[in-house]
Amino acid sequence: MKHDFSELRLDRVTRRFAGAGGHAFAALSELTITIRRGEFVALLGPSGCGKSTALNCIAGLLPLSGGTIQLDELRIDTLPPEKRGFGMVFQNYALFPHMTVRRNIAFGLRMQGVPGSQIASRVKHALKLVQLTGQEHKLPGQLSGGQQQRVAIARAIVIEPPLVLMDEPLSNLDAKLRIETRAEIRRIHRELGRATIYVTHDQDEALSLADRIVVMKDGVVQQIATPHEVYAQPANLHVANFMGYRNVVELDIVREEGTRVELSGPDMRLVGTRKQMGPGTRAVVAMRPEEITLGEGPDGRNTIVARVDNVEYAGRDSLVDVITSSGTRLHVRATSSPALGDEVRVHVSPERVLVYPVA
Amino acid sequence: MLLLFIYPFIYGLALSFTPPKGDWLANYRTFFTSDHLWPTIWTTLKLALPATIVNVGVALPIAYKMRIKSSYQRWITTILVVPITLGTVLIAEGMLTYFGPKGWLAQFLQYFHFYDGSIRLTHNYWGVLISLVISGFPFAFLLILSYITGIDPVLARAASTLGADPFAQFRHIYLPLLAPGLAMCFCLAFVQAFSVFPSAVLLGAPAGPTRVISIAAYEAAFEQYDYSLASAIAMIMGFVQLLIVAAVLGLRGFFYRGPVSGGKG
Amino acid sequence: MRTPWLERVWTGLLWGLMTLFVVNIGLMIASVATNSFARRWLGTWLPEGYTTNWYTAAWREFQLGDVLWVTIEVVFAVVFLALLVGVPAAYTLARRNFVGKRLLMLLFLLPLMVPPITYGIPMATVLYKVQLAGTIWGVILANLIPAAPFVILVMTPFIEQIDPNLESAARVFGANTGRMFLHILVPLLAPGILAASLLVLVRTIALFELTFLTAGSDSQTLVVALYYAVFAAGVRAPQSVDAMAMVYMAVTLVWLLIALRFVNPTQLVSRVKEHPQGAM
């Protein structure tokens, strides 16, 4: 067991399960990533994308079907979970229901054979860190969901693991508590500086917490990048879809010049930016509702004429659905609310029209 | 319906205090002074306690090993439910044929010279004990298995990430959470073994070493037609069972009781 | 810290024990089966010859025709009456709250916890007093005692998983209690009722003590007849007794196999898990 490291290297980590009809399917295929000391990495994707499988493989709860995991020079993928010494926070907390908060937190230290006096002081410190001082004699069943989650976090970090693994730790909390606990996790990470791998299906969580995000789909990594990059420059259409690019339109390619592409359809002409190369004379553009604005663009370029079909008031702004003459529906976020049936013009800057090959 | 169960009990209790001759405690005095009555309690305990300890003690590690749902878990449970449903009478008949001095087991042991002396596993203490294991072990196993599979396996996984090896996971996670279930299982298995009747008659030596308390009660009722004494014996039998159950469940009070999952579902 | 070597020995030991147990049970049943077809079998691996005569002999000697008929009568009457009593009772216990509910639950559980022979003797005494003992009605009544609570135990979780709103909806649309029961609950509870009746059926066929204590010569069920046959083993040829044991086994196993298609094996024993609060 090591208490610190400079690099955790996952090399083509693969996990196959027996699927229907005896066919093995890869829940995780060839995940390769190097995680640096103190880094916060989020594995992001819809359920069934392989992100939890990846986490369980790193924790040692699932054996690998292929690939290696190395902690600096030490190969760890053959070690059982109890020898890896990583701290893990489970989705349903997995607190031991028969132990008090104190004994739950002390469990890992007891297993390591840490002397009693040290256990007491370290548990006390951990309780303070998660702001649960005074609750140490309660059983998990007597705590609220948020408190249980903080016990789970304290239990994972008290053993001073080189790496903390978190499996959707906020998914069982209500919306308000989720945002609070998110901030808490961020603060604890900052204070301890432990490398953390965080699994989630919520892009907001990943964006707000992580230094780097790994976007996954069907067991395959789609993009590994900083939150800003994943948000603004999705590597492919899947990532774009997942990051809230709700407007997806298939168009003909008219001209291509480097990454700049001119496209046209029956009722729109757009200039966009190529994100992923692909064959064919057609392409898909992806645009965020927030980045389409009502009104004409400079020189009338990248402007689409459409009719207002639906307006949803959303407080600070409105969600406006518009339909072009050929029936393409676009979602637009607008600060003003146009009337139903009005003909409007919307525009979007060429940098924010992302062009992907047809799926 | 309730009446059907409660009334006989009350009636039996009343009947046991109204013997045909003597004062109201005469039956109980007879039981505790008669040489062929009160030792039956020890005879029964000598059979029931070892059988229960063996059944629960062996069933626990095996059930723990098989806690993960798999196709053979389903198979084993199905196979084990067979001896339970067949019941003690059939088991007794089977044992007479199979474990008897000319049965396959004796032949097998002698053929391979594992044991050359004469083998007597029927019509004595061992025959009854074996039959109690045959009918009691599957019962204990299935009961414990249903308790174990009710414990969230994520707890053991959490313990393993915290450095607990499989043995420590069992000791610190499974065992404490199982304790109430184990106590319950022990009670039920014991109560069943304590009331052993058909196999004690058919497989044991009902006149001597396996003259269990239920035989004494049966004889009093249906051979001497002394229903009053029989009821008294049945009451004593129920009382001893209750005593053991109360003792075990009292011990259970020291253990954690509550949900066995690790948080909100 | 345990070595993998120790771990393997331990696993092997457990599997060995389990296999030993299952193999011996299997051989035990096999030896009964072999003996029932044996012409003569004395101290050899296999009998000298095979015959089915013992079955006809057993059928004649033990009046198996009558016994089987009694068994069928008793078992189906018990299943029917247990459902009739148990399902509404389970419904009441699951849905309504009243003073003494916990006590009532405990009383219902008692016949399942207390072994039959303990309460069978006082009960037989009562039945003799009211002159029901020895008749088929006495046997049915006696078997009903553990059967009805068992139905309640099995049914309670099934009832609890039905959304009470469904019943309210039926009432809103004008169904009275009886019709609501018939049109809404019975169809929804069908799987539970099926499971409960099969479980009661299998258990009643195999339940020895109560029938033994209350049955007369013409109200014996198969198990009791088998017991008497084994008890008087010297009188009859052992093959003939084994033939009868096979008949009994066949009857039980057929129903067991049918039951196992619909219920989990653990349900046959685990009376506790279904209703932890009641049992604790």
Side-chain angles (χ1 to χ4, degrees):
Chain A
M1 251 177 267
K2 294 178 57 157
H3 281 294
D4 214 344
F5 69 99
S6 57
E7 270 186 359
L8 174 81
R9 273 198 304 282
L10 275 68
D11 185 26
R12 282 173 288 139
V13 170
T14 301
R15 171 66 201 188
R16 277 182 288 271
F17 286 107
H23 286 288
F25 80 97
L28 177 67
S29 59
E30 311 226 327
L31 170 61
T32 300
I33 184 177
T34 300
I35 292 161
R36 287 177 299 275
R37 180 170 188 278
E39 198 178 12
F40 198 118
V41 174
L43 303 184
L44 175 65
S47 60
C49 73
K51 54 192 194 299
S52 289
T53 307
L55 199 72
N56 285 331
C57 284
I58 298 169
L61 297 171
L62 273 177
L64 306 189
S65 313
T68 57
I69 304 175
Q70 281 190 318
L71 203 57
D72 292 334
E73 297 315 309
L74 179 70
R75 190 170 163 185
I76 59 159
D77 56 85
T78 47
L79 292 177
E82 62 265 24
K83 300 260 173 68
R84 297 191 191 188
F86 298 159
M88 184 153 175
V89 179
F90 292 82
Q91 186 172 4
N92 298 329
Y93 322 145
L95 297 180
F96 307 131
H98 57 299
M99 297 184 190
T100 59
V101 168
R102 172 195 292 282
R103 296 223 307 139
N104 259 289
I105 298 175
F107 186 82
L109 297 172
R110 273 169 63 210
M111 289 298 115
Q112 288 176 0
V114 174
S117 57
Q118 247 191 67
I119 291 182
S121 70
R122 281 169 73 175
V123 168
K124 206 171 144 198
H125 183 75
L127 279 166
K128 210 170 125 197
L129 191 70
V130 297
Q131 302 175 341
L132 276 177
T133 311
Q135 313 281 334
E136 55 263 56
H137 296 296
K138 288 189 178 164
L139 286 174
Q142 300 165 305
L143 299 177
S144 70
Q147 288 174 322
Q148 289 189 25
Q149 187 53 272
R150 282 184 279 158
V151 176
I153 293 170
R155 187 178 67 177
I157 57 178
V158 75
I159 56 173
E160 295 178 10
L163 179 67
V164 180
L165 308 170
M166 297 193 175
D167 189 1
E168 308 225 10
L170 305 182
S171 61
N172 281 331
L173 303 179
D174 58 48
K176 182 168 170 285
L177 209 52
R178 201 175 317 171
I179 292 174
E180 279 173 28
T181 316
R182 193 165 85 189
E184 196 88 325
I185 289 175
R186 185 78 200 158
R187 178 180 65 79
I188 292 167
H189 176 251
R190 219 174 29 240
E191 275 180 40
L192 296 180
R194 298 278 153 190
T196 304
I197 301 178
Y198 185 101
V199 161
T200 180
H201 64 266
D202 180 324
Q203 44 299 34
D204 288 344
E205 263 174 45
L207 291 173
S208 64
L209 285 169
D211 299 322
R212 268 199 299 164
I213 296 177
V214 180
V215 186
M216 300 180 65
K217 181 178 182 284
D218 298 334
V220 181
V221 171
Q222 307 290 316
Q223 185 171 15
I224 302 182
T226 62
H228 180 257
E229 222 178 317
V230 171
Y231 184 80
Q233 314 290 337
N236 61 36
L237 201 54
H238 294 308
V239 182
N241 262 327
F242 202 68
M243 297 311 299
Y245 287 72
R246 287 176 65 205
N247 298 303
V248 176
V249 186
E250 196 179 318
L251 298 168
D252 290 315
I253 298 174
V254 179
R255 208 148 59 93
E256 252 189 294
E257 216 182 282
T259 57
R260 203 179 151 81
V261 192
E262 264 186 66
L263 309 111
S264 79
D267 47 18
M268 61 178 85
R269 280 184 80 87
L270 288 173
V271 178
T273 310
R274 194 50 119 158
K275 282 290 139 202
Q276 191 186 13
M277 299 312 280
T281 58
R282 283 172 78 76
V284 172
V285 297
M287 295 165 286
R288 237 177 227 295
E290 297 86 336
E291 288 162 354
I292 303 179
T293 12
L294 282 180
E296 198 148 327
D299 315 331
R301 285 200 299 158
N302 271 13
T303 302
I304 302 162
V305 181
R307 198 169 36 79
V308 176
D309 186 54
N310 190 25
V311 179
E312 266 177 52
Y313 178 64
R316 208 158 52 85
D317 53 8
S318 300
L319 259 173
V320 181
D321 279 17
V322 297
I323 294 188
T324 65
S325 56
S326 67
T328 306
R329 178 180 292 267
L330 294 174
H331 309 283
V332 180
R333 273 206 184 261
T335 41
S336 61
S337 303
L340 284 185
D342 276 4
E343 197 182 85
V344 292
R345 282 155 201 276
V346 297
H347 79 277
V348 53
S349 89
E351 287 73 43
R352 300 312 304 144
V353 177
L354 306 185
V355 182
Y356 299 99
V358 178
Chain B
M1 170 55 229
L2 263 179
L3 223 64
L4 214 58
F5 177 69
I6 297 300
Y7 175 68
F9 232 88
I10 312 250
Y11 178 80
L13 194 64
L15 192 65
S16 73
F17 288 115
T18 48
K21 50 182 178 294
D23 61 71
W24 61 286
L25 271 177
N27 281 323
Y28 292 90
R29 198 174 307 121
T30 316
F31 183 86
F32 286 107
T33 50
S34 158
D35 275 345
H36 73 284
L37 285 180
W38 75 265
T40 56
I41 291 187
W42 304 122
T43 312
T44 319
L45 280 179
K46 257 190 279 177
L47 275 169
L49 275 180
T52 311
I53 290 166
V54 166
N55 288 340
V56 176
V58 176
L60 175 64
I62 295 183
Y64 178 65
K65 257 266 133 42
M66 300 194 58
R67 68 190 180 280
I68 296 143
K69 226 175 183 50
S70 64
S71 55
Y72 54 62
Q73 189 201 56
R74 172 90 193 174
W75 271 106
I76 291 283
T77 46
T78 307
I79 289 173
L80 283 183
V81 91
V82 171
I84 299 180
T85 18
L86 287 182
T88 41
V89 179
L90 191 95
I91 289 172
E93 169 59 14
M95 279 182 63
L96 286 175
T97 316
Y98 175 65
F99 286 98
K102 294 266 189 288
W104 273 344
L105 187 76
Q107 284 187 41
F108 176 81
L109 293 178
Q110 276 159 355
Y111 185 79
F112 289 102
H113 300 285
F114 288 130
Y115 182 75
D116 282 326
S118 81
I119 297 158
R120 271 194 70 94
L121 288 175
T122 52
H123 296 299
N124 59 12
Y125 174 83
W126 294 106
V128 183
L129 192 66
I130 292 172
S131 87
L132 284 177
V133 170
I134 290 178
S135 56
F137 169 74
F139 176 82
F141 174 84
L142 293 176
L143 207 56
I144 294 176
L145 189 68
S146 77
Y147 282 120
I148 287 188
T149 48
I151 293 176
D152 192 347
V154 170
L155 295 180
R157 298 218 249 152
S160 78
T161 64
L162 291 167
D165 61 55
F167 182 71
Q169 289 166 32
F170 176 73
R171 208 176 87 76
H172 294 289
I173 309 300
Y174 275 101
L175 202 55
L177 289 175
L178 265 181
L182 275 182
M184 202 65 198
C185 174
F186 186 93
C187 287
L188 289 175
F190 171 79
V191 163
Q192 281 207 334
F194 192 80
S195 65
V196 55
F197 178 71
S199 53
V201 177
L202 301 176
L203 276 170
T210 71
R211 192 182 138 84
V212 292
I213 190 162
S214 44
I215 296 182
Y218 173 76
E219 280 176 358
F222 295 98
E223 284 170 19
Q224 296 152 20
Y225 298 103
D226 186 347
Y227 293 119
S228 174
L229 178 62
S231 296
I233 298 176
M235 290 303 138
I236 289 167
M237 194 165 143
F239 181 72
V240 173
Q241 287 168 1
L242 214 66
L243 213 65
I244 301 269
V245 169
V248 174
L249 292 187
L251 272 178
R252 198 180 69 160
F254 292 112
F255 298 116
Y256 165 81
R257 285 161 69 184
V260 286
S261 65
K264 289 194 191 173
Chain C
M1 198 69 49
R2 282 149 39 104
T3 61
W5 173 81
L6 206 65
E7 183 84 34
R8 262 206 298 279
V9 171
W10 176 241
T11 308
L13 184 76
L14 292 182
W15 276 108
L17 266 175
M18 196 71 181
T19 317
L20 190 76
F21 185 83
V22 170
V23 164
N24 272 298
I25 299 270
L27 284 174
M28 195 176 92
I29 292 172
S31 69
V32 173
T34 314
N35 198 25
S36 72
F37 287 110
R39 213 180 283 283
R40 243 170 67 91
W41 191 13
L42 289 168
T44 50
W45 286 110
L46 285 173
E48 290 164 23
Y50 297 94
T51 170
T52 53
N53 285 345
W54 298 115
Y55 283 86
T56 45
W59 192 273
R60 217 173 337 97
E61 280 175 45
F62 301 116
Q63 283 126 22
L64 278 188
D66 294 344
V67 171
L68 271 174
W69 181 241
V70 171
T71 310
I72 291 169
E73 277 180 332
V74 168
V75 166
F76 281 92
V78 167
V79 169
F80 178 74
L81 291 174
L83 287 179
L84 208 64
V85 177
V87 175
Y91 177 78
T92 316
L93 284 173
R95 280 284 187 263
R96 304 211 199 296
N97 263 315
F98 49 85
V99 188
K101 180 174 158 177
R102 282 185 64 91
L103 183 74
L104 203 64
M105 277 309 288
L106 196 72
L107 283 178
F108 269 120
L109 279 158
L110 268 178
L112 297 176
M113 314 277 281
V114 180
I117 199 126
T118 313
Y119 63 85
I121 287 179
M123 199 184 61
T125 320
V126 173
L127 287 179
Y128 274 105
K129 207 184 79 174
V130 296
Q131 268 152 22
L132 270 175
T135 70
I136 194 161
W137 284 108
V139 174
I140 292 171
L141 222 54
N143 277 292
L144 210 53
I145 287 182
F150 194 78
V151 170
I152 294 176
L153 270 194
V154 175
M155 291 305 297
T156 309
F158 281 97
I159 292 173
E160 275 169 354
Q161 77 187 29
I162 290 180
D163 188 350
N165 283 331
L166 222 54
E167 292 156 39
S168 315
R171 281 180 197 281
V172 169
F173 289 115
N176 61 21
T177 306
R179 287 176 52 171
M180 197 261 296
F181 217 88
L182 202 68
H183 292 297
I184 309 291
L185 288 183
V186 171
L188 283 174
L189 288 178
I193 291 177
L194 183 72
S197 44
L198 283 169
L199 290 170
V200 167
L201 192 131
V202 170
R203 288 166 57 92
T204 308
I205 294 178
L207 188 69
F208 165 74
E209 284 90 346
L210 285 177
T211 315
F212 173 68
L213 292 174
T214 51
S217 59
D218 56 353
S219 55
Q220 282 180 13
T221 62
L222 205 46
V223 217
V224 177
L226 180 64
Y227 170 84
Y228 281 118
V230 181
F231 186 65
V235 186
R236 320 267 186 205
Q239 288 96 324
S240 169
V241 176
D242 277 341
M244 181 168 172
M246 287 305 288
V247 173
Y248 166 71
M249 195 147 63
V251 171
T252 322
L253 284 184
V254 164
W255 284 108
L256 180 64
L257 287 179
I258 294 172
L260 286 180
R261 286 190 61 84
F262 299 99
V263 298
N264 193 315
T266 40
Q267 271 185 293
L268 272 162
V269 291
S270 131
R271 319 130 171 196
V272 196
K273 197 187 159 197
E274 279 93 25
H275 219 272
Q277 311 90 308
M280 299 270 162

